[in-house]
Amino acid sequence: MDFNFTEEQQAAVEAARAVFSGVVPDAVPSPALVPGAVAEDIDRPLWAALAAGDLLSLTLSPEHGGAGLDLIALCLVLRESAKVLARVPVLETCTVAMAIQRYGDEALAAELLPAVGRGELVLTVGANGRSGHDPAELAVTARPDGVTARPDGDASGAAGDASGADGDASGADGDASRADGDGGNSSETVWVLDGVQSAVPWAQTANWIAVPAHTGEGRAVLALVSRGQDGVTIAEQVSTSGELFGEVRLDAVRIGRRELIDAAGAWEWLHALLTTGTCALALGLGEAVLAMTSQYTGKREQFGFPVATFQSVAVQTADRYIDLRAMEVTLWQAAWRIATGGSGALPPAGDVAVAKIWASDGVRRVVQTAQHLHGGFGADTDYPLHRFHAWGKQIELSLGPAAAHEEALGNLLAAHSLD
């Protein structure tokens, strides 16, 4: 494994730093001072700047207007975004786009992905299930329900048009002769989705929501649902960080065949991308918090000396530095396994679990130590540290806390002999 970044990856970091340099965490009200969400939408000017800097198309192939880079490059950008608490769904949009590109319908990918790269579409994903404890795909069922007629080449189903999935009896009655033989029309299977996905990031502002589901045979599939589609209702939820999330309820939502990704391993691959990206967010946030703590303890004096010179302070910050280095090496190990398909004693899921264990425990320890060493300033709403604490707790628990990934790692170890 080579931890040196390529010139293209380093260029992505420089571009990300340039875009995020003008972002301040205090741009929205403090989550400690408002009863609901800190804002009703994502940071649209920042989103436009990311698109203009070609950072939203970073992992898209050249045929879709992208740079063709990999998960490592995306994690480098996410790391920079977390240092300023950037309020944009880069993780969700880019990883869902990567899944569509790798596993989805080619025509759908050709229609959606260039618009994603230009910042015209926002994608998100329901990865928490109903409660956050059970596998997300178990919270929604997907079942085929006959065929529906559609003119050849009509892209209405990909644009979220209900006409392709409105439950018209002529399309759902399973009469293949009617669907196939009328004036050049072709037929496609209609899939019906029922269930609830909770804590979906920025669901109210996303154009498309990727929803994991399970079929009657127990297969995990990935459905792409338009936010405004019939049968989709979104209830407001507020995350620990104060951002607007949504409970997405699907009531007999009908989608076409090309909006359902049923390739083996598609959802598991997307989940691994999301988890690894969350580790990158944890690392960037932890680095920013440790730097903030170093600056504060270097200026704050007690008994005539900076508190940074006290042994107890130095030991605690040194321990947190070690946490960050462990978070970094495990992150790049996981990202490298996914991006390159490199071999290992365990499947890549093992490296992802190790990275998330370190990310969850590490970011919690870094932020807690920062709060302790800042004293009362850590809780001052005019000082940004409390915002980083809230975001750190959100990241720690996103896609499972350390204990959940320790259990997953134990199961992998039990299933694979390491002799």
Side-chain angles (χ1 to χ4, degrees):
M1 180 171 54
D2 183 2
F3 278 142
N4 292 316
F5 298 118
T6 66
E7 291 184 5
E8 292 83 1
Q9 292 165 346
Q10 292 171 342
V13 174
E14 294 173 3
R17 287 174 178 168
V19 172
F20 293 127
S21 62
V23 179
V24 292
D26 293 334
V28 293
S30 165
L33 300 178
V34 293
V38 297
E40 295 299 314
D41 198 1
I42 63 175
D43 187 338
R44 290 289 176 176
L46 178 57
W47 192 249
L50 288 167
D54 295 328
L55 291 171
L56 298 181
S57 60
L58 199 65
T59 57
L60 299 180
S61 65
E63 67 180 294
H64 296 133
L69 298 185
D70 57 15
L71 176 62
I72 296 173
L74 176 59
C75 285
L76 287 167
V77 173
L78 292 170
R79 180 185 189 178
E80 297 302 317
S81 76
K83 293 178 181 179
V84 295
L85 306 184
R87 302 183 48 262
V88 282
V90 176
L91 171 61
E92 294 81 10
T93 294
C94 291
T95 54
V96 172
M98 291 170 71
I100 294 172
Q101 179 172 264
R102 180 176 175 128
Y103 294 104
D105 178 84
E106 291 183 3
L108 181 66
E111 180 178 336
L112 296 184
L113 299 187
V116 169
R118 295 190 298 267
E120 298 168 4
L121 291 179
V122 175
L123 310 179
T124 190
V125 56
N128 293 300
R130 182 183 288 271
S131 65
H133 298 288
D134 297 322
E137 65 272 18
L138 298 183
V140 176
T141 60
R143 58 182 175 83
D145 186 30
V147 294
T148 185
R150 171 188 287 175
D152 288 335
D154 185 2
S156 60
D161 186 346
S163 63
D166 60 0
D168 185 346
S170 65
D173 63 0
D175 185 353
S177 62
R178 288 173 59 186
D180 289 338
D182 183 12
N185 284 354
S186 60
S187 64
E188 70 167 20
T189 302
V190 171
W191 287 81
V192 180
L193 307 173
D194 289 282
V196 176
Q197 289 287 349
S198 184
V200 179
W202 289 296
Q204 291 85 345
T205 59
N207 301 94
W208 288 83
I209 304 170
V211 178
H214 68 281
T215 68
E217 298 81 21
R219 292 185 296 111
V221 296
L222 190 62
L224 301 174
V225 178
S226 173
R227 172 169 51 87
Q229 194 163 339
D230 289 345
V232 177
T233 57
I234 303 176
E236 180 176 312
Q237 294 179 317
V238 180
S239 70
T240 302
S241 59
E243 298 300 337
L244 184 62
F245 280 19
E247 181 189 74
V248 178
R249 184 174 297 274
L250 308 173
D251 184 12
V253 173
R254 302 168 68 82
I255 64 172
R257 178 66 184 82
R258 69 174 188 165
E259 285 87 45
L260 188 93
I261 301 175
D262 63 354
W267 163 238
E268 291 78 7
W269 189 74
L270 174 56
H271 191 271
L273 298 184
L274 290 165
T275 306
T276 306
T278 302
C279 297
L281 294 174
L283 176 61
L285 185 146
E287 290 174 330
V289 167
L290 189 62
M292 190 185 308
T293 304
S294 176
Q295 293 172 2
Y296 176 81
T297 57
K299 296 177 181 178
R300 173 70 170 172
E301 292 189 359
Q302 289 185 358
F303 311 111
F305 297 94
V307 297
T309 63
F310 298 170
Q311 185 178 29
S312 62
V313 173
V315 168
Q316 290 182 72
T317 53
D319 285 343
R320 301 296 77 83
Y321 177 82
I322 293 171
D323 277 334
L324 290 173
R325 298 289 69 78
M327 291 164 64
E328 183 175 18
V329 71
T330 54
L331 162 65
W332 299 131
Q333 169 75 7
W336 175 79
R337 287 291 306 278
I338 295 172
T340 67
S343 61
L346 292 175
D351 295 285
V352 173
V354 171
K356 189 56 166 69
I357 291 167
W358 273 104
S360 292
D361 282 343
V363 75
R364 184 189 69 251
R365 289 193 291 258
V366 169
V367 175
Q368 287 179 345
T369 297
Q371 289 279 11
H372 173 65
L373 296 180
H374 274 81
F377 275 101
D380 188 345
T381 56
D382 292 327
Y383 189 74
L385 181 59
H386 76 287
R387 295 176 184 266
F388 284 86
H389 196 167
W391 277 70
K393 180 57 68 174
Q394 177 70 37
I395 291 171
E396 175 196 346
L397 301 178
S398 293
L399 298 166
H405 292 274
E406 288 167 353
E407 181 180 357
L409 180 60
N411 292 336
L412 283 170
L413 289 169
H416 293 80
S417 172
L418 301 182
D419 294 338

